[in-house]
Amino acid sequence: MASLPTIARRWRGVPAVLLALLVMLVIGDALFWGGERVLGAEGTDITMQFLPWYRFGFSELAKGNVALRNPYTYAGHPFFGGWQAGLLYPPNWIHLLLPVGIAINWSIALHLWLAGWFTSLWAAGRGTSRRGATLAGAVFILSGPVFLRIFPGHLPHLYVMAWTPLLLWALDRWIFRPRPWHPLLIGAGAVAMQCLAGHPQYVYFTAMAMGLYVMLHSIQRRSLRPLAAIGLMYVLGASIAAVQIGAGLSAAGEGWRHGGVPYDFSTAFSLPIENLITLVIPNVFGDITTLDYFGRSLPWEASAAMGAVVMLLAGAGALVRRNRIAVIVMLMMLVAAMGDATPVHRLLYDLLPGYNNFRAPGKFVYLAALFLAMLAGDGFDRLRAAAVRRAAWIALALAAALLIAGVLVRAFPDALPVTMARIAAAIQSMKLPAERLTPSLLDQRAAFTARQIAIAGGFLGAAGALLVVARRWPAALNGLLVLALIQSVWFARDDLRGHSERDEGSAGLPNKYTRISAPVEQAIPETWRDGIRSIADNQRVLPLIPMLGGALMCRDVQQIWGFDPAIPRRYLELIAAGQGIEPGAATQHMPFDRVSVGVLRMLRCAVVFPPDPRARFMRIDRPLGRAMLLPWRTIPDPAQRLAMLSSPGFDPAAEVLLDEEPVLAAASIARAGQSVALRDIDTDTMEIDAIVEKPSILLITDSYSPAWRAFDRMDSAIQHPVIPADHALIGIPLNAGHHRIRLEYSPTGYRVGMIVSGIGLLIWIGAWFTLSPRPGRRALRQSGDEATFIAPAKPGGI
């Protein structure tokens, strides 16, 4: 009978099983909550955006309707084209079967496991042992750039990241064993999944990293094959996802970020230079829940957390000759993540097409974490082969330095201070400005920081001790793997503690482990309920507590604002004019310092909910209806038009302001009188019956988009122009007579993308079976120890 170690060596599924058990260890309890709570913190993206979005989008998809437009926020705006809904991302179809809370929790678990398993496949394909490959997968999914995304509920971020190591696996397999075609097809599939997953910025940043990785390999090998491979992967993958890409480009073309965001805005949420220390000491600036984060930026945007033992192993892996390109790419990703702290961001902003549409360059750090995870797995193998003595001395010296630093920080809390106070006062900081930092708070932060430094030093000291013992007993090196996993799990569980069990008498430390989670059903203030009951059908509200916007959407309440960067430019300019903000200075972060009654009336806003949930709501008199016939006036100058629309004397019920003189479509039947009736067919289609007495503009108080198309149902030869009215609303010029109009929201990119996606998918399926000498699923199985792409390094490889 085969021994257990022999079975483990033969069974290639060991890493997948171990990584599944690891995911269950860190978030397994969340999978059995029954759908009442969801992973993530209340008041973050999970409750403000993704819970209501997934509930809305997949309930529509279950009816057979791909919701291209969201009628609940921003007076109606692109939904499918905003990417993050992920309606056509196959793993998201779990929402068609399960309640939204259960579906999200299981989806998070699935993608953590996929990210870990694909990382282990990639590492194994490079020659790393199963133990080292499993370690690589584990430390990647528990690293700060990945695991901390659970706290704010950044679901599309996690989904895109999960497929990156599979793309690297495919690239390495083609670069080093270019015989079979399956790696290219698997890589194309990974690209398509990333495009459909819902976060274009991560797709863009990943493509940049893959391009750099392949370019360096092409230079090293003096061959264009790697470049041709990645080109084929991305072209085929993008063609499969063309329906999402086309709709996204159409939405981006009318969005406020089209043409680029201001440079200062693009640098927001960079990785602060001082946060590089989180590579070794993950929670040095607070751990979100035990002690509020007091560094710059946001913790999930500015953490590079890997852990001291992982970095020790990664350092050993970085010295292996075959990993030189991986080290270069990792370092370049860290530099890019720092934003305007280096000249690289300015060059990318000025020279790289499309790069200036994004902010938060700190997102690059997840790619550095992925390469560091692979290097750590490789380093574990290398330490088993050579350089144990040197590594032991390095570990012990670093441990001693960290322990001394921790003692000094605790002994002299006033020395931490000036730097920490300045960090806390920085513009992106979440917490107190410097003048409000009390001595007790500084002392608390110093104590916490000292403890984190000491913990990192303790882990390094234990690693050094294991390395010393390993000189006589090599099996002790397995303790390094266990030590790295313990530190990673420690970090992950610390950062998902809840506040509910906090003991105020112990410096804010939790006395019981609890899970960060949010209720699936969000409560709204009692004072708001009368306001909701008072609004008529199709009237909107403005909540000045943004975190409750999602709760209103779940109750089918339409709003004039929302929580999404995909805002049509014209609509943003109209809202900004009402707030006295210049159009060029407006962003998605609108202060709403004033109540512009005219603009609110124009947008059918009937109620304003104040920032204080205990205060009574404000009623807006005489909001416009859904559709009406009005005379027009042409104001070509946008600044003048916006000034008139936002002035107190403008009556939106008296006339419509247009950009230019309209072209009037003739009516098929002449009738006396004037009336308008509008009926919604679905989220993207409405029918209007209008009797027009004299030439008028049919004003529909929904957000304008060039994607709207109007067809006359009484005469198919007539197509009505759809134009912007009152700068940001829908206008249809009509001549006198009777009109029956079908108005459809149908972006050109979506229609063309459907055709391209169909062709691309047929090509992918045909290539998979045509070029396959054996069942395709075996391609993934070739990444075991005996089928590596790169020959394992010899003992002297460091």
Side-chain angles (χ1 to χ4, degrees):
M1 183 175 177
S3 64
L4 188 61
T6 302
I7 294 172
R9 282 196 299 271
R10 292 176 181 174
W11 187 33
R12 294 171 180 164
V14 167
V17 172
L18 292 178
L19 289 165
L21 292 174
L22 178 65
V23 172
M24 293 296 291
L25 174 66
V26 292
I27 64 166
D29 55 330
L31 305 182
F32 305 100
W33 280 338
E36 296 180 359
R37 300 190 71 82
V38 64
L39 280 167
E42 192 169 4
T44 62
D45 293 26
I46 191 66
T47 57
M48 297 169 69
Q49 184 172 7
F50 294 113
L51 271 172
W53 277 28
Y54 286 175
R55 190 194 302 264
F56 161 69
F58 288 100
S59 66
E60 289 293 326
L61 193 62
K63 302 173 188 175
N65 174 41
V66 177
L68 302 179
R69 176 176 166 270
N70 179 359
Y72 291 102
T73 52
Y74 301 120
H77 70 110
F79 183 65
F80 178 76
W83 293 80
Q84 296 190 69
L87 295 179
L88 299 186
Y89 179 54
N92 271 350
W93 295 341
I94 189 176
H95 289 273
L96 299 173
L97 305 174
L98 298 174
V100 63
I102 297 175
I104 287 175
N105 291 336
W106 278 95
S107 192
I108 290 172
L110 170 66
H111 285 86
L112 286 177
W113 176 74
L114 285 176
W117 181 44
F118 290 155
T119 302
S120 71
L121 288 177
W122 175 45
R126 296 178 61 86
T128 306
S129 70
R130 282 202 183 91
R131 278 174 289 180
T134 304
L135 173 67
V139 299
F140 176 57
I141 63 177
L142 298 179
S143 65
V146 177
F147 198 79
L148 283 184
R149 293 293 173 181
I150 298 176
F151 185 92
H154 286 171
L155 305 180
H157 309 55
L158 280 173
Y159 299 169
V160 175
M161 286 189 276
W163 297 97
T164 303
L166 183 61
L167 182 54
L168 281 164
W169 175 91
L171 286 171
D172 273 359
R173 187 173 175 85
W174 177 258
I175 290 170
F176 297 105
R177 293 179 60 189
R179 289 187 298 277
W181 284 89
H182 278 107
L184 295 184
L185 299 176
I186 291 172
V191 170
M193 294 297 271
Q194 285 190 322
C195 293
L196 295 171
H199 205 287
Q201 183 173 359
Y202 272 96
V203 177
Y204 190 100
F205 284 7
T206 301
M208 289 175 60
M210 298 304 102
L212 176 62
Y213 183 74
V214 168
M215 182 183 68
L216 292 174
H217 274 296
S218 290
I219 294 172
Q220 182 187 63
R221 301 171 71 84
R222 298 179 182 178
S223 170
L224 295 178
R225 287 179 62 89
L227 288 174
I230 195 172
L232 181 59
M233 284 183 187
Y234 269 91
V235 168
L236 183 55
S239 69
I240 295 171
V243 61
Q244 178 67 77
I245 296 171
L249 291 175
S250 292
E254 61 185 274
W256 73 276
R257 291 190 179 187
H258 180 64
V261 299
Y263 179 77
D264 290 342
F265 187 85
S266 77
T267 64
F269 304 121
S270 299
L271 176 70
I273 291 178
E274 68 273 11
N275 280 41
L276 288 175
I277 196 174
T278 61
L279 287 166
V280 178
I281 312 171
N283 292 327
V284 67
F285 298 119
D287 65 355
I288 303 180
T289 56
T290 302
L291 181 74
D292 288 336
Y293 177 75
F294 55 94
R296 282 195 287 167
S297 186
L298 297 171
W300 45 87
E301 299 284 359
S303 175
M306 299 297 293
V309 180
V310 173
M311 290 303 295
L312 177 68
L313 295 174
L319 297 176
V320 179
R321 293 187 184 94
R322 72 181 186 202
N323 290 333
R324 287 176 180 172
I325 288 177
V327 171
I328 293 172
V329 175
M330 180 270 295
L331 293 174
M332 288 304 299
M333 294 301 102
L334 284 177
V335 169
M338 294 180 201
D340 60 346
T342 75
V344 172
H345 182 76
R346 182 86 235 189
L347 290 173
L348 295 174
Y349 179 88
D350 290 338
L351 300 178
L352 202 59
Y355 186 84
N356 62 356
N357 288 315
F358 302 118
R359 66 169 180 168
K363 290 179 170 60
F364 276 111
V365 79
Y366 104 87
L367 292 155
L370 176 56
F371 281 95
L372 283 169
M374 181 274 294
L375 293 173
D378 217 24
F380 170 73
D381 287 346
R382 304 290 76 77
L383 287 178
R384 289 192 301 164
V388 172
R389 181 176 181 180
R390 186 187 311 168
W393 282 112
I394 292 172
L396 292 172
L398 290 174
L402 286 174
L403 290 172
I404 292 170
V407 170
L408 291 175
V409 168
R410 188 67 191 97
F412 303 100
D414 291 339
L416 184 75
V418 179
T419 302
M420 291 299 143
R422 287 176 179 171
I423 290 174
I427 190 170
Q428 294 177 31
S429 177
M430 297 170 64
K431 300 304 169 189
L432 299 174
E435 61 271 15
R436 294 178 59 192
L437 289 176
T438 63
S440 62
L441 183 55
L442 278 174
D443 185 70
Q444 184 185 23
R445 290 181 175 180
F448 181 88
T449 299
R451 184 164 56 250
Q452 297 302 314
I453 294 172
I455 289 171
F459 274 108
L460 274 177
L466 286 170
L467 287 166
V468 169
V469 173
R471 294 180 60 192
R472 293 182 177 272
W473 184 39
L477 282 171
N478 291 320
L480 281 177
L481 186 151
V482 176
L483 206 60
L485 288 176
I486 289 174
Q487 187 174 23
S488 294
V489 171
W490 187 328
F491 162 73
R493 288 179 67 87
D494 266 358
D495 282 294
L496 284 186
R497 288 189 212 256
H499 287 276
S500 59
E501 301 294 332
R502 175 172 289 183
D503 180 359
E504 298 298 339
S506 61
L509 301 180
N511 59 15
K512 180 180 178 182
Y513 180 81
T514 57
R515 167 72 66 222
I516 277 290
S517 64
V520 171
E521 298 297 332
Q522 299 292 301
I524 60 172
E526 187 69 32
T527 53
W528 287 25
R529 295 179 184 176
D530 289 340
I532 293 174
R533 284 191 290 265
S534 72
I535 62 176
D537 289 343
N538 291 315
Q539 289 185 337
R540 300 189 179 102
V541 303
L542 171 60
L544 297 182
I545 305 178
M547 67 180 60
L548 293 177
L552 292 174
M553 181 176 167
C554 288
R555 288 164 173 79
D556 295 330
V557 178
Q558 298 185 22
Q559 305 158 60
I560 70 163
W561 202 243
F563 188 75
D564 179 32
I567 312 170
R569 178 183 292 275
R570 282 178 169 268
Y571 188 81
L572 178 67
E573 291 173 346
L574 177 62
I575 296 293
Q579 297 301 306
I581 299 173
E582 291 294 326
T587 72
Q588 66 199 64
H589 305 295
M590 190 64 61
F592 287 105
D593 294 328
R594 64 176 73 172
V595 176
S596 179
V597 175
V599 172
L600 296 182
R601 285 184 60 208
M602 190 185 310
L603 300 175
R604 306 202 311 264
C605 182
V607 169
V608 176
F609 294 114
D612 183 354
R614 297 166 298 181
R616 184 164 177 79
F617 60 87
M618 177 188 298
R619 185 79 191 178
I620 304 297
D621 294 330
R622 298 179 294 115
L624 298 189
R626 182 75 184 279
M628 60 191 65
L629 294 165
L630 296 173
W632 71 87
R633 190 183 350 163
T634 302
I635 309 291
D637 180 48
Q640 182 184 357
R641 186 168 60 248
L642 287 168
M644 292 179 63
L645 291 169
S646 59
S647 66
F650 180 74
D651 183 3
E655 64 177 346
V656 175
L657 302 187
L658 302 182
D659 297 19
E660 57 188 23
E661 279 298 312
V663 176
L664 298 170
S668 56
I669 301 175
R671 286 183 60 179
Q674 186 151 297
S675 64
V676 178
L678 185 148
R679 180 172 68 95
D680 286 309
I681 305 299
D682 55 34
T683 57
D684 312 317
T685 310
M686 59 188 81
E687 290 187 349
I688 305 110
D689 195 299
I691 299 174
V692 184
E693 194 171 47
K694 59 182 179 179
S696 303
I697 300 297
L698 171 60
L699 175 68
I700 300 173
T701 49
D702 288 349
S703 182
Y704 167 78
S705 166
W708 286 109
R709 300 189 302 168
F711 304 94
D712 196 305
R713 295 180 61 83
M714 300 175 67
D715 186 345
S716 58
I718 299 175
Q719 182 167 345
H720 299 275
V722 181
I723 61 175
D726 287 340
H727 192 76
L729 303 181
I730 299 171
I732 302 177
L734 298 178
N735 241 319
H738 187 194
H739 302 266
R740 288 179 180 168
I741 300 169
R742 182 180 177 89
L743 185 62
E744 297 178 352
Y745 179 82
S746 180
T748 302
Y750 175 75
R751 300 195 306 273
V752 174
M754 286 180 63
I755 299 171
V756 176
S757 285
I759 296 172
L761 189 58
L762 287 174
I763 291 173
W764 189 89
I765 293 172
W768 183 267
F769 289 102
T770 302
L771 301 175
S772 175
R774 55 183 178 273
R777 59 179 178 272
R778 293 182 185 173
L780 280 177
R781 297 180 181 175
Q782 298 302 315
S783 59
D785 293 308
E786 65 272 25
T788 56
F789 315 145
I790 307 174
K794 297 179 180 179
I798 295 182

